[in-house]
Amino acid sequence: MKNTLLFISLLLITISSSGHDKKEASNEISKKKVLVVSFIEKNFKSTYEIYEISKENGIDSETILSYLDDKICGSFPKSVEVEFIKCTDKPKIFETNVTFSSGKKDILIPNLSEIDNVSFNKLFEAYHVDYIMFINGYEINWIDDPQFKVENNIHFTILVKDRKQIATTKQTFSTPKLISFDKMEKRIQKLTMKIYTKYFKKLI
């Protein structure tokens, strides 16, 4: 009798574990993946001198933009539905064949006309992703406002295969003065959460 009860208990545990594993595997398969490609170091603009920003952060001028880049790309929310993957080995065609222009409201717009669809689509297969998101650039500007004196803008584009752009826009947040990127961390996370909620939640 005891052996029978033990066998049934073990069987129920096995079934439960198997169901949990299948659920996790199903979630992993259905999770959408986004390759985050940053051009912050290429397209950084500010009314402040780079040494002023470096001094505020306690980081030397040569590495401050790389630090900002990591801060932005690492701030996207972790979700069971979407995984954001920073591109640490940027494809050469992005370095040499992507240019930018300023559109309405000074939004940075990427030009991918020098990249053919076949080459672009191969990147989705190579990185095993569903979307590619360009961080087109970053701005830190002084503004004439009685409460908030500094405006931060993140320009970005969401792309799918065949170079189709789902969205090209910018998100903004302001601070009372020039502060370090570490002190801005919660504001940056709130902004990237807004990008996730407003754009990627609609796509999944």
Side-chain angles (χ1 to χ4, degrees):
M1 182 67 177
K2 288 183 178 179
N3 288 339
T4 303
L5 289 173
L6 178 62
F7 173 76
I8 293 172
S9 297
L10 289 172
L11 181 62
L12 289 172
I13 291 170
T14 302
I15 292 171
S16 176
S17 175
S18 174
H20 178 72
D21 290 343
K22 285 180 180 179
K23 186 177 180 180
E24 283 193 343
S26 176
N27 286 340
E28 191 63 32
I29 291 170
S30 61
K31 179 183 284 189
K32 300 299 182 183
K33 296 186 178 181
V34 183
L35 183 69
V36 182
V37 183
S38 177
F39 294 89
I40 287 176
E41 294 188 56
K42 181 177 182 179
N43 296 321
F44 177 80
K45 291 183 178 181
S46 180
T47 52
Y48 294 91
E49 297 292 339
I50 197 71
Y51 78 84
E52 295 178 276
I53 299 170
S54 299
K55 183 179 179 182
E56 188 64 41
N57 283 272
I59 298 173
D60 65 79
S61 299
E62 293 182 357
T63 58
I64 186 63
L65 294 184
S66 176
Y67 184 75
L68 172 62
D69 190 291
D70 289 338
K71 183 71 71 176
I72 299 297
C73 293
S75 68
F76 285 92
K78 291 178 173 58
S79 163
V80 295
E81 299 166 318
V82 180
E83 180 181 0
F84 294 89
I85 305 164
K86 181 182 178 182
C87 182
T88 55
D89 54 339
K90 192 182 297 180
K92 190 175 180 181
I93 57 171
F94 284 168
E95 293 283 11
T96 58
N97 294 46
V98 178
T99 57
F100 294 86
S101 60
S102 184
K104 293 181 179 179
K105 298 182 180 179
D106 295 323
I107 293 172
L108 279 176
I109 302 170
N111 179 2
L112 287 80
S113 61
E114 295 298 316
I115 303 175
D116 62 88
N117 283 343
V118 173
S119 299
F120 186 74
N121 291 347
K122 282 182 179 178
L123 295 171
F124 286 83
E125 299 167 11
Y127 287 93
H128 307 289
V129 294
D130 303 282
Y131 305 96
I132 292 176
M133 181 167 69
F134 286 173
I135 306 296
N136 299 328
Y138 195 94
E139 294 176 288
I140 302 176
N141 295 321
W142 180 88
I143 54 175
D144 187 11
D145 184 280
Q147 185 177 4
F148 294 102
K149 296 293 184 182
V150 182
E151 185 177 80
N152 291 257
N153 295 310
I154 299 177
H155 300 252
F156 64 94
T157 294
I158 301 168
L159 300 124
V160 292
K161 287 184 176 181
D162 296 333
R163 299 173 297 165
K164 182 181 177 183
Q165 296 185 21
I166 299 295
T168 293
T169 185
K170 66 179 177 181
Q171 292 289 335
T172 301
F173 67 92
S174 301
T175 57
K177 62 178 182 177
L178 183 66
I179 59 175
S180 70
F181 300 142
D182 287 343
K183 290 180 180 178
M184 290 195 305
E185 189 163 3
K186 287 185 178 180
R187 289 181 173 92
I188 293 172
Q189 288 174 346
K190 186 177 180 180
L191 186 145
T192 52
M193 173 60 80
K194 185 177 179 181
I195 293 172
Y196 162 70
T197 303
K198 186 173 182 180
Y199 297 97
F200 289 100
K201 288 283 283 184
K202 292 180 180 179
L203 296 172
I204 57 179

